[in-house]
Amino acid sequence: MATGKVDFFNDTGGYGFIETDDADDDVFFHMEDVEGPDLEEGQELEFDIESSPKGPRASNVVRQ
């Protein structure tokens, strides 16, 4: 699993980006991949990185 911090979160759209050393670009996530309440910027996470047509996407997101 990769680790990182929430760099940006749009609570209206339910999506954001995670900053990580494991990928060149920030990793996209959607709240459908996260259980529980909305995430906050700066929150530390563990997740898997999958390829998607628009770039890396986080899956199996878990709060640390």
Side-chain angles (χ1 to χ4, degrees), residues 4 6 10 19 25 36 42-43 47 49 53 63:
V6 177
N10 179 313
E19 181 180 335
D25 297 322
Q43 192 166 11
F47 53 95
I49 300 175
R63 293 167 177 83

Side-chain angles (χ1 to χ4, degrees), residues 39-64:
L39 299 176
E40 297 179 16
E41 292 179 10
Q43 192 166 11
E44 294 185 2
L45 308 169
E46 287 186 344
F47 53 95
D48 294 322
I49 300 175
E50 298 180 351
S51 295
S52 75
K54 295 183 178 180
R57 179 174 177 153
S59 64
N60 304 316
V61 179
V62 178
R63 293 167 177 83
Q64 287 188 318

